[in-house]
Structures are given as structure tokens and as C-alpha cells.
Amino acid sequence: MSQISLTFPDGNSRDYDAGVTPAEVAASIATSLAKKAISATVNGAHWDMQWPINEDARIAINTMQDDEPALELIRHDLAHIMARAVQEIWPDVKVTIGPVRDNGWFYDFDRQEPFTPEDLGQIEAKMKEIINARDAVKTEIWSRADAIKYYEDNNEPYKIELVNRIPEDEDLRMYWHGDWQDLCRGPHLQHTGQVPADGFKLTHVAGAYFLGDSSRPMLQRIYGVAFKNRKDLKAWETMMEEAAKRDHRKLGREMDLFHMQEEAPGQIFWHPNGWKIYTTLQDYMRRMQEVDGYVEVNTPQVVDRKLWEKSGHWDNYQENMFIVEVDEEHAREKAINALKPMNCPCHVQVFNSGLKSYRDLPLRMAEFGSCARYEPSGALHGIMRVRGFTQDDAHIFCTDDQIEAETKKFIEFLAKIYADLGFHNWTIKLSTRPEKRIGSEESWDRVEKALGDACNAAGYEYEIQEGEGAFYGPKLEFTLTDAIGRQWQCGTLQVDPNLPERLSATYIGADGDKHRPVMLHRAVLGSFERFIGILIEEHAGKLPFWLAPRQVVVASIVSEADGYVDEVVAALRAVGVRAEADKRNEKINYKVREHSLGKVPVILAIGAREVEERTVSARRLGENRTSTISLDDIVAQLKDEAQAPDLK
RNA sequence: GCUGCAGUAGCUCAGUGGUAGAGCACUCCCUUGGUAAGGGAGAGGUCGGAAGUUCAAUCCUUCUCUGCAGCACCA
């Protein structure tokens, strides 16, 4: 038998017979290591303790101390253990797939009865039994025919389908956890007892389609989370509670920002507080765009289907459009209109109105465009995914040669805005040509390069998303990460030569002939509604002073102070600070509590002493201390703080 | 849109086949209190909507609307 040489992390090498397994290697080092080993890393690949090694390699034996392999194995083995538990309790349930995901795993089952929360408890108990049984994990490579025969005998139709989907040149690997069998790539732990029995939890059940195919019947997916120990599980639970506290739907109610009701699903009733955030943000964006050379337009909401037919939306986007039938007074047939789902076709109409010269380009046309899209009911989510929203939309009409410079300019514009709004952690993705596309290869080459070069010129790295571009052109996506690590795609820039073509947009070139402009669709915030939702969650409701809908509450401690309270409020309002008086017959404790819960950034308490000295006792949200400041000073200070970042 | 779960006072929730209850919020009264809930009283709901079963429905059945979680969707 031939020999191979294995090199350990400390640099030492040893020779073994070819086909040696990591289990044997570990045993050759120390019995204790063989016992606590969970897997190996062989030439960078995650390797099962039972898989043979046939050539010289670098090898490291992993234990529970190695976080990455440990968590992957724990979660992956739990997926199998859960499926085994389910089939032990309900033998008729069919198994499908169960991958590791996020902080845990899921497994999809085909079962007539829905799983109930009580079922989850029962499954969890059974899983703990399996873990305590410390059943060995075994693996073998099987032939296709044997595997299919096996699954036919065991009546597991989904597994047969999965076997048939595995490429011919790939090994079919079968795993056993005790007597329970599953088709699986591996690797796995050495035995079920290596899973920490107190570090996991089944979280919820939800429907999911087999292999994501919505034309097929829905399966039941059970989700679980798992960690190395009880402490980490608790930490995860605490984090989830924190995230729930930031939920913009909850904070929106508590801060009286907006509400939604069933007569207008997916649309927002903005209350005064919420609308103040909205208009403050919009005013800021309007100033920024003017400085950056945009012109602002406004276009119709309800537009005849003829335009949507020309733009292509009628054929490609109709199911997402609100269609409106209108009885024309003097016409027998009904006119059919649609609420605009996008602003671009209307902007081309503005562009087309009057001859444009090459001297007009690039023409940056912005609109805070109210759009309506009939989003599927299941997609709606608070103010983040709605049916009526307003984009900070703009279309840059330009020549091919201007694409790169305009893109660079836009990235710098967007970076400034994200920084002003407190987001410093964001990335760019470049989506390239998809399989179904129009336009020549040369033009795709050119435009993809222009976008990439623009990113570099602006000083930003980007990640490529192969084949994710629109059918007419590539795009950049700007994704920001919030305070608790969630990612949001907000900004976008898409190159579109198609719509100008369809809607016959032209300009007169230097040569006196007509030419076709290119359109860059671009947005920074995406939609005001969604972005405000992100802002609320990012700040847990404690918005920066300039964006806070209620900035200052001036609260009396005794009623003798009421007159001076009004004076303080008036002085603040006179310099543009949003201030209100609280002269209610309540104790200062009560008022402080209420306004703190209402996320008011500054509370100014006024008692007899402050009246006497013409001062205020200031308290900042989140701080327990107070400070006494003269009226003039606090007015000057808050006036400055209330300025939007671009005006400071 | 699909699967599952849910809908009772402004909010958070309890509850029963015989036309409903708590805490907070609200209104009024007492209290003028120094930085996260002072005390008392009162008002407030055709129990998401429609139909059905029943002597009787908030409760059981069906349909429907809306929300929540996930899937699918996201030019």
C-alpha cells in the first residue's frame, strides 16, 4: 500500500497509508484527541472524520474549540437529528432537504397535518433523546441505482428526485445517524452525542416550496437555531428581543408616526410626527439635488395604457400595476389607465417635449415620484414594503461617453448623503449581463466596464453579481448595513438604452443629426417610506436631532413656571427648533418618563429656580444627568443642532 | 399569490354557547410635586366583516378582509 505524507498545523509531517481517515490520524496522535475530534480540515476542505485521504495533504483536526466547523456541524447534524425525530414520531412524513442557514438550520417535510407548536416541543424532546443515545454517524458512497432502489423501497419520492438532480460525475453519499438514513454531502460529527443538547431550539414552522418552485405544492419547513452552549443560545434570544424592540411598526405606533388600516392595505397614513420626518428628509434631498445639478419635475399619477404599452410595462409589469377603468363622458368605450408604478416613462415625455441638443446633456431629471405597485399581499411589511410609495427618483439622460463620469458623480453624491444620514457601512454590487438580454456584446462590455471604472475612480470597491443585471443593461446596487447587521439595498443606478429607444427619445448632436440618449435610472434612498423605516430601526427610534419629529419638550415643574415655559418654547420656535410645552398638572417624573419613552431628544425642565435665574434644566435622551444652562445659551446651542447636515 | 397562525377598548392582553374584563392611555377631581409612573372617580367595545347552525353566537361551521412568520415575488 502506498504512503502519503500529512502535514499538521505546527509544520510537522507524518507518513500514513493512503486511504487513512482523520479518525485514524487523530487516534495515532492521542486517544483523547480522537474522542473530542469533530472533523478535519484537509487542504482547506471541511472533511468528515470517516473520509479517506488518498494523497499528500495539509491536515488539521477540528474540535468544538474551532467555532466555524463546530457550528456548521452542530447545525447540520441537528437538521438530520430533527428529521429523524420527526420520522420516528410520524413515520409517514416524507423528508426532503435540510440545510444549515443563518444561526441554525431548517428542514422541509411533506406532511398532510400542519405541525403545531406542541409538535415542536415533542420533536425537541425526541431530539434530546437521540442526542443522549450517542448514536454513531456512518457514511458510505452508493451507486445511483442502489440509492434510487432504496428510496423507492422506503417511499421517499423527494429523495429520488434529489438523486436524479445530482450531476453524474458527483459521488452519491449516504449518511446514517443511528438507523436513520439521509442523502447528504456531509461532513458530519462522529456521533450524535457530540451535539450540545442545551444549545438549540426549534423556532417556528412555515410553508416553503420544494426547491423554491412556486408551481409545486407547499411543504412544511421547521426552523431551528443552534449554538455551542446554552449561554450563546440565550445571547441569541436576547439579541432577537432587542431587534423586536427596534421594529419600526412598534416604534411607529409608540412615537405616533403613522398608522395603516385595512381599507388601504400597503399604504401609509402619516401622522404629524411621521410626516415631519418625511418632509425634513425630503427638504434635505431637494437641496442636495439642486446643488448637484438636478432639475426637479412632477408628472401624472394616472396614465393611459397606451403609454404603458409603448414603454413595455403593459406586457411585462401589468400584474404589479393598479389598473383604473374610466368612463369617458363622450366615448362609448372605457378608457383604461394605470397608476404609475415607475416614473421613467413620464420623464421621457418631459425630455421629448421640445427639441434637445447635445448641449443639454447630461440632463439630470429628478422627481419625488409617487408610485403605486400592486405588490403581492404576502410581500407587504410595515412601511418597508408597501403599495404606495415615493421614490427619490431621477433619470440622467446622457451620451454613452458620459456614463462613466455621471456614475462617478452619482456615487460621490450618494456617499455624501449616506454619511450625512449616519450610514458609513455600505457596499456596491455590480450586476452584469443576464442570459436573456438585448444589445450587442460590445456594448455590454463597454457599459459594464464604465460602471466598474466609475466605482474605482470614486475610490470604492465593488462586488460582481454575475448575470443579475436587467435585460437592457447592467446596474449598480448600493447596500447599507444597519446597527444590528441587517442589510438593505437602497441606492441603485441602472443603465438603460432600451426605454429611450421604445419611447423615441432623441437629441440633436454636434453633427446636426438626431441621436439616441442613454438613460441612467438612479435613486439614493430608494423610497422615502422604506428609508424612514430603516432610519427608525437603525436608531431604535432615537433619531438624530435634526430629523427628530419632536425635538424639545419644555416641561413645567410647578404651575408658576407656565408663563416662562411659553417664553422658552417661543424662543426655540423662533430659531426653527421644534419645541412644545408640557404644562400639565403632573409631576416632573411623570413627564420625563413619558417624553423619554416618546424618544424626545431634549427635555427642558422649568421650576421656580429656572424662572428666577432665566435658565433651563436640560436633560438629553439616554442620559440620566441634567445640566442648568442659560436660556440664551440653550437656544443658540439647539438652533445649531437643528440644522440639517448640509446647512451646517 | 402560497402554507401556517392570529384579529376582543386607543395600546398590550385575559375570557365565556346565555349579548364582556384587566393594566396602561383618556376625561374630571384632589394634589404644586425637582428629573423614568402621586391618589381618587368616570367614560370607553354591535368581540374584523358576511352568511349559516342553535331557543340563544364574541365563542361552533363556511366564506371573506386584514395582520404576523416564512416561501415565492421585488424593472
Side-chain angles (χ1 to χ4, degrees):
Chain A
M1 187 171 281
S2 66
Q3 294 274 299
I4 58 169
S5 165
L6 296 183
T7 307
F8 295 92
D10 61 8
N12 291 327
S13 303
R14 263 169 86 167
D15 288 348
Y16 291 91
D17 289 340
V20 69
T21 66
E24 290 157 358
V25 173
S28 76
I29 297 167
T31 321
S32 60
L33 180 64
K35 227 172 180 178
K36 68 180 183 184
I38 54 172
S39 67
T41 302
V42 176
N43 285 339
H46 199 188
W47 207 265
D48 195 288
M49 294 300 281
Q50 302 174 59
W51 294 351
I53 305 169
N54 294 313
E55 54 195 20
D56 291 355
R58 286 172 288 109
I59 183 171
I61 303 292
N62 300 318
T63 68
M64 279 296 166
Q65 303 308 313
D66 302 295
D67 279 355
E68 204 180 306
L71 286 171
E72 188 192 323
L73 290 168
I74 289 168
R75 290 164 182 165
H76 196 177
D77 280 83
L78 278 165
H80 285 232
I81 290 169
M82 180 173 82
R84 170 175 161 190
V86 166
Q87 286 199 316
E88 283 186 11
I89 302 171
W90 301 279
D92 291 342
V93 173
K94 306 277 170 277
V95 293
T96 65
I97 55 169
V100 169
R101 194 198 81 136
D102 298 336
N103 292 305
W105 77 92
F106 63 77
Y107 206 113
D108 290 346
F109 299 97
D110 183 8
R111 179 188 183 219
Q112 291 309 98
E113 300 288 303
F115 290 108
T116 64
E118 295 75 55
D119 291 341
L120 292 191
Q122 198 185 342
I123 296 167
E124 244 176 55
K126 177 65 81 178
M127 289 169 72
K128 286 181 181 166
E129 273 176 40
I130 295 170
I131 291 168
N132 289 332
R134 303 172 67 84
D135 280 333
V137 175
K138 293 190 297 285
T139 180
E140 286 173 10
I141 291 174
W142 278 26
S143 73
R144 285 184 144 55
D146 287 349
I148 288 171
K149 173 84 171 50
Y150 179 89
Y151 285 126
E152 277 169 1
D153 292 347
N154 286 281
N155 191 20
E156 292 285 7
Y158 294 96
K159 287 291 176 191
I160 295 173
E161 195 169 335
L162 291 170
V163 168
N164 286 326
R165 281 171 173 272
I166 295 176
E168 287 293 336
D169 54 351
E170 217 172 281
D171 284 340
L172 272 190
R173 188 169 280 283
M174 306 294 255
Y175 264 93
W176 286 263
H177 282 69
D179 293 334
W180 189 82
Q181 187 283 334
D182 202 356
L183 170 74
C184 184
R185 232 178 242 120
H188 277 286
L189 293 167
Q190 301 204 72
H191 60 85
T192 61
Q194 287 186 312
V195 175
D198 60 352
F200 77 94
K201 184 181 166 170
L202 304 187
T203 55
H204 60 282
V205 186
Y209 300 109
F210 184 57
L211 303 173
D213 184 349
S214 61
S215 68
R216 304 187 56 158
M218 192 157 251
L219 306 169
Q220 294 189 65
R221 173 173 296 179
I222 303 180
Y223 287 89
V225 292
F227 300 90
K228 281 160 66 176
N229 50 53
R230 184 172 184 74
K231 188 171 133 273
D232 290 355
L233 177 63
K234 286 281 170 214
W236 175 82
E237 285 173 347
T238 307
M239 205 196 78
M240 294 308 284
E241 285 163 18
E242 285 304 312
K245 282 186 200 154
R246 291 171 176 257
D247 192 313
H248 74 279
R249 294 166 297 189
K250 180 177 149 70
L251 287 167
R253 210 169 26 243
E254 289 172 0
M255 296 170 70
D256 196 16
L257 302 178
F258 57 83
H259 86 271
M260 304 174 92
Q261 63 187 49
E262 50 177 275
E263 286 83 354
Q267 294 173 88
I268 305 170
F269 292 80
W270 286 103
H271 294 13
N273 288 341
W275 193 242
K276 184 51 77 179
I277 303 174
Y278 189 110
T279 54
T280 303
L281 187 59
Q282 193 174 63
D283 291 346
Y284 163 79
M285 288 303 291
R286 180 170 280 133
R287 289 193 304 271
M288 293 297 282
Q289 287 180 351
E290 275 178 17
V291 170
D292 218 48
Y294 286 80
V295 291
E296 186 176 329
V297 300
N298 196 266
T299 60
Q301 307 279 327
V302 184
V303 178
D304 194 285
R305 68 182 276 184
K306 291 192 202 85
L307 181 64
W308 304 118
E309 281 167 356
K310 276 190 224 159
S311 70
H313 290 85
W314 195 258
D315 286 336
N316 297 311
Y317 202 66
Q318 195 180 146
E319 61 182 30
N320 281 294
M321 290 163 72
F322 281 98
I323 310 291
V324 188
E325 287 193 5
V326 186
D327 257 319
E328 290 293 344
E329 218 174 322
H330 301 294
R332 279 187 180 271
E333 63 179 326
K334 282 189 173 176
I336 296 188
N337 292 257
L339 301 186
K340 71 173 168 188
M342 294 171 203
N343 305 300
C344 23
C346 289
H347 285 189
V348 178
Q349 306 314 303
V350 176
F351 182 88
N352 286 354
S353 160
L355 273 185
K356 293 292 181 295
S357 147
Y358 71 97
R359 295 174 193 278
D360 295 320
L361 306 185
L363 176 57
R364 307 184 191 98
M365 189 184 292
E367 176 172 2
F368 297 123
S370 290
C371 296
R373 294 183 190 171
Y374 191 81
E375 298 285 352
S377 56
L380 302 178
H381 178 81
I383 65 172
M384 305 283 226
R385 187 84 183 265
V386 287
R387 288 183 176 154
F389 57 95
T390 302
Q391 297 176 310
D392 65 316
D393 199 11
H395 295 93
I396 301 171
F397 294 88
C398 64
T399 65
D400 265 10
D401 295 341
Q402 291 168 333
I403 292 174
E404 186 178 332
E406 283 303 304
T407 302
K408 173 171 179 282
K409 184 176 170 62
F410 174 68
I411 295 169
E412 287 163 351
F413 179 66
L414 171 141
K416 169 97 174 65
I417 291 167
Y418 284 1
D420 278 353
L421 295 173
F423 294 100
H424 300 281
N425 195 1
W426 53 274
T427 58
I428 308 179
K429 289 175 190 144
L430 168 58
S431 297
T432 59
R433 66 197 83 183
E435 272 180 40
K436 275 181 65 179
R437 60 176 179 267
I438 57 171
S440 68
E441 293 308 290
E442 297 75 50
S443 100
W444 278 94
D445 287 343
R446 203 170 58 240
V447 179
E448 284 173 4
K449 181 170 185 305
L451 293 189
D453 288 351
C455 293
N456 292 333
Y460 294 94
E461 310 258 305
Y462 59 90
E463 178 192 323
I464 290 183
Q465 290 187 308
E466 211 71 58
E468 293 292 314
F471 71 89
Y472 48 74
K475 63 181 172 184
L476 295 177
E477 288 179 0
F478 302 86
T479 305
L480 53 85
T481 304
D482 73 12
I484 50 175
R486 289 171 304 188
Q487 300 210 325
W488 304 95
Q489 194 235 299
C490 294
T492 182
L493 181 142
Q494 294 188 27
V495 182
D496 183 3
N498 180 53
L499 199 62
E501 177 77 37
R502 294 190 74 120
L503 298 177
S504 312
T506 58
Y507 67 91
I508 308 297
D511 56 5
D513 290 338
K514 283 187 175 179
H515 297 276
R516 197 68 81 198
V518 170
M519 273 174 102
L520 307 180
H521 307 255
R522 43 108 292 175
V524 178
L525 308 180
S527 88
F528 282 93
E529 290 76 3
R530 198 158 83 96
F531 202 85
I532 290 170
I534 295 167
L535 276 172
I536 293 167
E537 300 202 353
E538 156 80 7
H539 295 287
K542 297 171 193 165
L543 294 170
F545 195 80
W546 71 281
L547 275 174
R550 303 170 66 205
Q551 294 174 320
V552 181
V553 168
V554 185
S556 60
I557 298 172
V558 292
S559 52
E560 282 74 53
D562 287 359
Y564 181 57
V565 166
D566 286 337
E567 200 186 321
V568 174
V569 167
L572 288 166
R573 286 186 179 166
V575 297
V577 175
R578 294 188 278 277
E580 57 198 274
D582 183 355
K583 299 184 286 189
R584 290 175 303 168
N585 175 14
E586 295 292 350
K587 293 196 172 185
I588 192 64
N589 285 322
Y590 184 92
K591 295 181 183 181
V592 165
R593 175 181 152 82
E594 186 173 285
H595 301 307
S596 297
L597 290 173
K599 313 282 194 264
V600 176
V602 174
I603 298 171
L604 302 180
I606 311 278
R609 211 159 55 229
E610 286 76 15
V611 175
E612 178 71 21
E613 298 168 352
R614 292 190 65 75
T615 56
V616 298
S617 170
R619 180 191 169 107
R620 299 268 172 171
L621 184 58
E623 295 178 9
N624 287 325
R625 58 191 175 77
T626 62
S627 57
T628 302
I629 311 174
S630 77
L631 176 57
D632 290 346
D633 286 352
I634 193 75
V635 169
Q637 197 179 316
L638 295 178
K639 176 188 176 187
D640 184 54
E641 273 186 62
Q643 294 296 314
D646 63 309
L647 298 177
K648 279 191 178 169

